[in-house]
Amino acid sequence: QVQLVESGGGLVQAGGSLRLSCAASGRTFSNYAMGWFRQAPGKEREFVAAFTWSGGTTYYSDSVKGRFTISRDNAKNMLYLQMNSLKPEETAVYYCEARLFIASRNRADYDYWGQGTQVTVSS
């Protein structure tokens, strides 16, 4: 089992920045690919960014590329998402998710996820 706890969400004005954190515990963190997904009210959960288990490759959705940065610290069992130039339409609950080794853009491929952290971007 892998336990994931997100934090860092909040209220920010459009154009502002937030840094989300995800604390992982339970298994060897470095063996897991990690991803960030988000879910707005009434919408499907969508892929935001992901990191392979080795930390060598990152993936981003086209909508956040150039504005968001995913990073991980295997020594601290932490995953981060730096979000810049936020837009009101990015208001959502952001989830940290994990699966063994290979990153995926597909939500169904992930085995573990946290409770989410709310990000609200005001216009």
Side-chain angles (χ1 to χ4, degrees), residues 1-6 21-32 34 36 71-80 96 98:
Q1 287 284 347
V2 175
Q3 291 79 44
L4 302 171
V5 179
E6 303 94 335
S21 299
C22 173
S25 62
R27 291 288 177 92
T28 304
F29 180 68
S30 58
N31 287 343
Y32 284 81
M34 303 296 297
W36 286 100
S71 61
R72 64 189 293 168
D73 185 337
N74 287 346
K76 296 181 178 179
N77 288 4
M78 294 293 295
L79 179 73
Y80 305 100
C96 168

Side-chain angles (χ1 to χ4, degrees), residues 10-91:
L11 174 64
V12 63
Q13 288 189 331
S17 298
L18 278 176
R19 188 193 195 207
L20 305 184
S21 299
C22 173
S25 62
R27 291 288 177 92
T28 304
F29 180 68
S30 58
N31 287 343
Y32 284 81
M34 303 296 297
W36 286 100
F37 288 76
R38 64 188 179 191
Q39 188 166 17
K43 294 188 176 181
E44 295 287 323
R45 194 173 300 188
E46 66 173 359
F47 171 76
V48 176
F51 222 135
T52 58
W53 69 277
S54 64
T57 305
T58 55
Y59 305 89
Y60 295 94
S61 69
D62 289 342
S63 64
V64 307
K65 200 174 295 183
R67 298 185 297 118
F68 289 15
T69 302
I70 188 172
S71 61
R72 64 189 293 168
D73 185 337
N74 287 346
K76 296 181 178 179
N77 288 4
M78 294 293 295
L79 179 73
Y80 305 100
L81 184 68
Q82 177 67 43
M83 306 186 294
N84 299 328
S85 302
L86 281 160
K87 305 174 182 179
E89 56 265 36
E90 294 179 312
T91 293

